[in-house]
Structure formats: structure tokens, C-alpha cells
Amino acid sequence: MRAWAVLLVLCGAIFLEGIDVAMLNVALPAIRADLGLPTGTLSGVVSAYVLGYGGFLLLGGRAADLLGRRRMFLLWLVVFLAFSGLGGLATEGWMLLAARFATGVAAAFLAPAGLALLTDHFPEGPRRNRALGLYAGTAAGGFSLGLVAGGLLTAIGWRWVFFAPVIVSALLLVAAVPLLRADEPRPRRESFDLAGAATVTAAMLLLVHGVVRLEHGLTGATLAVFAVAVVLLALFVRIERRAARPLVRLAILRSPALVRTNLAALLFLASFAGFQFMMTLYLQELRGWSALQTGLAMLVIGIDTVLAPTLTPWLVNRFGTGRVVFGGVASAAAAYALFLPLAPDRTYTAMLPGLLLLGLAFSLAYGPLTMAATDGVAVPEQGLAGGLLYTSIQFGTALGISGVTALSTAGGMEGIRAGLMLPAVAALVALGVTAGGLRRTPAPRPGDGVPSARPSASR
């Protein structure tokens, strides 16, 4: 009974993460109107979170293993609570950006600690599988409900989008302290690869900043930003080669299947993040829809909450992960193609097929991508493989938002159409990447399962 109570708390934490990001996406136009933020800063409100998340995710997983999972979970839940509240008090764009980045860092430490606690409390077998299914489904439900909750809270005032997670975090904290059992003592402390974490995070920040700067043209300053990012990435590689306990063991990247999976995940999430950002601006700023109407309109994408745990496992067992991922990416490419001729007066009925295809795309692609990312990886490196996948997902999300921002500088309907080109192109490239692995897809194994949740920071 105690284990299931712990699961309830952990599900609450992953639900909080999903609903937090989804609510913010719906509230973006209201935040822009109140604080007078330019489009670049507005996209940065989302990008700052996913960069903090993606940049520190690998370090967060290592911290949970070395410093204690309960300790990390409780500490970073407090940090998440504090900076979410500070975001609600922001009066300037830079304050909001700093708060969101810090909240993303907190999530990067909180999420792997929560997942590790789940496996600690549920031994391997049917009980753990059931617990993981509930955990993943809760993450998916967080996004779907977050769209509607964001619309309701924004109608009261956009600051409640930040204050509501504070209340939920406080309740989870009160429940978690007595429920989570104490960490086992660590025999010795190991060093962190802080230099690796710092260089790769700085490189990611500069790469996205460079993409956003492209809206002003390919200037010397923009080229300099990209050059510094490349230097930092080279430095990161050098640090990892020499580190006694590297953040990323570079030899793992010699696996073509792993690289292909991570690249596909990056492109898949970049396309959706860019699409969602453009559609939020289109529906609210061009069409005059309310935040609640926008949330309800996008809610149909949440069909993956039902399809992912029911249809997808059967398809994976029948056809294998590679073919199912390919079908999901193909559905996404078709959906974005349907939105390319978007007009100011397009009816919701006309948009519905594309939105349904997107829901199908997430149902088919995300869970099998998670499976493919760890398939064939040695047990001691399963965590590293998962960390690489989620880093790719968060980085792809940030790049997608920054990319559409750079393309939509014309504003109005012309800018929206230009921005929507990036999701379509990114999905097509992802389709080519996944097609390259179809011949190498291993035969499905009886009893294989697949995680069902999608990534909350991106959606």
C-alpha cells in the first residue's frame, strides 16, 4: 500500500511537469500583451525552460544516483516551487526568462530522481510494469489537461499559470516527506563532470540564440555566436575523452541505431514545438480566439493518451519499433502538409484532420522512439541512453521554437505560413532518418511493451 501511495506522489510530480509546460504555451499571447514582449523573447520563455531541462538532464540523473534519490527529489521539488512562483511575479522579460531557465534545471534533476524512486519502490516484474504504465499515462494526461487548465487560468490572469504549480508542488512536498523512504548510504562520493555539463549547456544556449538571431540576417555577430558554440562543443568532446567519469561516454555514439534514434527524436519534437508555437499565435493573435478556446481546439491531439497504451504496444509487437516510428513520423509530415495552405478564415472542421493526425503521430512515434533509444544498450548504460534521448527531445523543442521565430519575422498571416514551413521540412527529414533504419529493425519479441507518455517540456 505504501508503494502505491509513493507512486501517487511521483505521478503527481510528472503530471505537474506536463501541466506546467502546457499551461504556459496557451498563456503566451496574454504574457506578451501584458509585458510587451517581442516574439523573440516570447519564444525564449519556452526555450529557456527546455534548455535548462535538456542541458542538465544527464547531470541530474547522475546526481540522483550519487547523492540520493529522495534527497534530490525533495530538494529540486522545492526549487521548482520557488522559481515557478518567481515567474508569476515577473514584471520584465528577463525576469521571466531567468525563472523559466531555473525551473527547467529543477525539472532536469527532479524527473530522473522521480523515475529512479519508482523503480526503487517497485521490484522488476508485473508490478513495476503496471506502475510505469500509470506513470507514463499520467505524464501524457498532464499535457492534455494542461491546455484546458491553462485557458481557464489565463482567463483569470496569466500569473496563475505560474502560481497554480506552486500550490500543487507544496501539496506534493507535504505528502512526499513522510512517504519516501530514506536513501541508502553511499560508500563514497564520486565527482561530477561539471565541466562537461557547463560546456554542453553553454553550447546549446548559443546554438539556439544563433538561430533566433537569424531573423536579422546572417550577420557577423550571428556567425560569431555559432563559432563560439562549435568551439564549446569541441571542448566538450575533449573534456569527455579525458574525464575519469564523463557525463557522456562518447563511445556509445558509435552506434548508428542510437544516433539515428536521437536525431529522429530531435527533429520530431522540433517540428511539433514549432507548429504548436505558430498555431497558438495564429489562433489567438490572428483569429482572436481566447486562451480557453485555443486549449480546447488543441486538446484533440491528446488522443494519444488513449491510443499509446492500447494500440501502440500491439503494433510494436506485430511490426517492430522501426516501422511504427516511421508510421508516426509519416503521420506528422502529412499533418503539417495539411496546414501549409493555412488561411485567416480556415474553419476548425478543416483543421481537425491535421490535429487528429498529430495525435496519431505521437501515439505511434514517441513510445517506440524511447524503446529504440535503449534497445541493445548494455544495462549499466541504460540511464545514459535514456538521458541522451531526453536531451535530444528538449534541445529539439528549443530549436523548433527558435527556428519558426526566425522564419516568421514578416508577421501576420505571411509570417505564420513561413513559420509553418519548418515543421513540414523537419518532419520530412525525420522521415528520411527513420526510413534508413527500417531494414535494420530487429524482429519484435513476444511480450515487448512500450512507454506511452510524451515529453511534457515540449508540449
Side-chain angles (χ1 to χ4, degrees), residues 357-381:
L357 277 174
L358 274 181
L360 179 63
F362 266 91
S363 302
L364 299 180
Y366 184 75
L369 277 172
T370 305
M371 173 182 275
T374 55
D375 190 32
V377 177
V379 173
E381 293 189 323

Side-chain angles (χ1 to χ4, degrees), residues 191-377:
S191 61
F192 288 113
D193 182 14
L194 292 175
T199 50
V200 73
T201 302
M204 290 166 65
L205 284 166
L206 287 172
L207 282 172
V208 175
H209 179 57
V211 172
V212 173
R213 286 185 61 90
L214 288 176
E215 64 184 76
H216 305 297
L218 194 60
T219 63
T222 302
L223 288 173
V225 169
F226 282 123
V228 175
V230 171
V231 170
L232 285 172
L233 285 174
L235 180 60
F236 170 71
V237 171
R238 184 176 182 182
I239 290 171
E240 298 309 281
R241 284 177 174 171
R242 296 185 175 187
R245 296 179 178 84
L247 190 69
V248 177
R249 189 180 69 85
L250 298 177
I252 198 174
L253 300 178
R254 294 174 186 168
S255 166
L258 185 141
V259 172
R260 185 168 51 247
T261 298
N262 279 272
L263 181 57
L266 187 151
L267 291 166
F268 183 72
L269 268 297
S271 64
F272 178 77
F275 170 81
Q276 187 187 54
F277 186 73
M278 286 290 97
M279 284 302 294
T280 298
L281 298 182
Y282 167 73
L283 292 175
Q284 293 191 43
E285 298 193 347
L286 262 68
R287 300 291 297 271
W289 290 21
S290 69
L292 179 58
Q293 287 174 314
T294 301
L296 290 173
M298 302 285 279
L299 184 60
V300 68
I301 301 174
I303 61 170
D304 71 328
T305 307
V306 176
L307 296 180
T310 54
L311 176 64
T312 305
W314 180 84
L315 291 174
V316 168
N317 289 333
R318 179 70 175 83
F319 300 106
T321 56
R323 291 180 177 82
V324 177
V325 169
F326 182 83
V329 176
S331 297
Y336 300 136
L338 290 176
F339 279 95
L340 287 178
L342 194 64
D345 58 350
R346 176 174 286 197
T347 64
Y348 182 69
T349 302
M351 290 186 277
L352 189 57
L355 296 175
L356 286 170
L357 277 174
L358 274 181
L360 179 63
F362 266 91
S363 302
L364 299 180
Y366 184 75
L369 277 172
T370 305
M371 173 182 275
T374 55
D375 190 32
V377 177

Side-chain angles (χ1 to χ4, degrees), residues 59-69 72 109 112-113 116 186 192:
L59 185 60
R62 185 163 176 78
D65 289 335
L66 298 181
L67 301 180
R69 292 156 181 179
M72 288 294 98
F109 284 83
R186 265 57 183 178
F192 288 113

